[in-house]
Amino acid sequence: MSNRDWTQPSEDALVTYRAEGGVAVITLQDPPANAYSYAMFRQLDDAILRARFDPEVHVLVLTGAGEKMFCAGANIEMLKSVDPYFKYNFCLHANETLNRLEQTSKLVIAALNGHCVGGGLEIAMAADLRIAKAGGGKIGLPEVALGVLPGTGGTQRLSRLVGKSKAIEWMIEGLSFTFEQARDEGLVNKLIEATDAASFLAGVIDYARRFVPPARASKAVGGIKRAVQSGLEMSFESGLALERELQQQLFQSEDAKEGFQAFLEKRPPAFRGR
């Protein structure tokens, strides 16, 4: 295949999108491995923007199709057949897409229904939380075995999640862990016991709805996410300035007024996400 073949829009739905009850579910769909191509990332980018612009969506849940694989990373057939110019721009676009996911001021949960390796883990690390199906698979960055490094943000995000020395060790050894081990290492936030992928996803969505109005002030959740995701990349003083600006925006929100009033009236607040 030529570079041009891989840049053509796909007629297949490689990413599906559905939104209900304040939660948008975005599914990587190219079984059996759900490996991503440029076309898949174009569709993922569109789905992220769709959720970002929808005022009725408060939480994004990102998962993979099927029972065995969240995502196995980049499509190796594509990488083998395209030239370095294409590969560079492919990685650049992937970085931009995951940055957009990370910077969207809505909570993002990666629902790991199956193995999450290579670029799949790089996608999951751009989420705010990672919830995995108990006993559902392995997680790791094995790119060194291919003679390359994790090139979709893996070197940067893993080191920020688990620390510099540990991240280097895991990547140079190409280590993989069970979801249970990954939770113990702080790479996975929660495990959900489930008999299949459908019941697992239902459990993740139930958890996601804890952060949807009227139960939770989703603008405050988004502000916390932005303060942490963006603030940690700044100096301490700049991070404090960002925190103040986000707090000022929240002070002017309907939800903050409701929260303070409900506290004074000793009743549960009824947030609206505004």
Side-chain angles (χ1 to χ4, degrees):
M1 284 188 180
S2 67
N3 289 353
R4 182 171 296 178
D5 293 328
W6 287 107
T7 60
Q8 297 305 307
S10 174
E11 296 181 359
D12 298 326
L14 301 173
V15 174
T16 62
Y17 181 100
R18 63 182 174 93
E20 184 179 351
V23 178
V25 178
I26 300 171
T27 304
L28 307 178
Q29 186 167 280
D30 192 11
N34 299 324
Y36 59 79
S37 59
Y38 174 63
M40 178 183 280
F41 255 84
R42 284 285 298 271
Q43 293 182 26
L44 176 59
D45 209 358
D46 287 345
I48 293 165
L49 287 171
R50 182 175 176 183
R52 180 187 282 193
F53 276 85
D54 188 345
E56 300 303 316
V57 167
H58 303 284
V59 181
L60 286 68
V61 171
L62 182 61
T63 193
E67 297 288 335
K68 295 183 178 180
M69 191 72 69
F70 171 76
C71 176
N75 186 307
I76 300 299
E77 180 185 353
M78 177 199 70
L79 292 178
K80 184 179 178 181
S81 62
V82 297
D83 62 29
Y85 178 82
F86 180 95
K87 291 174 185 174
Y88 175 83
N89 284 289
F90 168 69
C91 289
L92 176 59
H93 176 253
N95 286 155
E96 292 166 339
T97 298
L98 295 185
N99 286 346
R100 197 183 327 278
L101 182 70
E102 193 170 56
Q103 294 302 318
T104 294
S105 19
K106 299 180 180 185
L107 184 68
V108 179
I109 300 173
L112 309 183
N113 55 297
H115 299 299
C116 176
V117 294
L121 177 53
E122 292 179 292
I123 293 172
M125 287 192 294
D128 305 304
L129 302 175
R130 283 155 295 283
I131 301 178
K133 181 175 178 287
K138 293 284 188 75
I139 193 167
L141 295 173
E143 284 89 344
V144 70
L146 299 174
V148 296
L149 55 73
T152 313
T155 62
Q156 301 306 300
R157 289 191 174 92
L158 184 64
S159 60
R160 284 160 170 76
L161 285 169
V162 303
K164 182 170 65 175
S165 181
K166 188 177 289 187
I168 291 172
E169 176 191 6
W170 291 3
M171 288 184 284
I172 65 173
E173 293 193 16
L175 297 177
S176 63
F177 302 92
T178 65
F179 287 159
E180 286 73 15
Q181 291 170 324
R183 178 199 54 191
D184 294 342
E185 295 285 355
L187 192 53
V188 164
N189 297 88
K190 295 178 180 295
L191 296 172
I192 290 181
E193 298 280 350
T195 56
D196 54 30
S199 58
F200 165 70
L201 181 58
V204 176
I205 292 172
D206 283 346
Y207 176 77
R209 288 193 171 128
R210 293 172 55 182
F211 306 99
V212 170
R216 196 66 55 96
S218 57
K219 286 181 70 70
V221 172
I224 291 168
K225 175 242 178 86
R226 280 293 316 283
V228 174
Q229 293 284 21
S230 299
L232 288 183
E233 303 306 315
M234 304 174 178
S235 69
F236 184 70
E237 287 301 322
S238 296
L240 289 177
L242 172 64
E243 182 183 88
R244 287 194 299 274
E245 291 302 314
L246 292 168
Q247 183 74 304
Q248 179 61 18
Q249 293 174 24
L250 292 172
F251 278 149
Q252 298 174 21
S253 70
E254 293 181 20
D255 279 353
K257 295 172 185 175
E258 166 65 10
F260 287 125
Q261 190 66 31
F263 178 83
L264 292 173
E265 295 175 0
K266 296 181 173 56
R267 61 172 175 81
F271 295 116
R272 301 177 66 191
R274 298 177 184 173

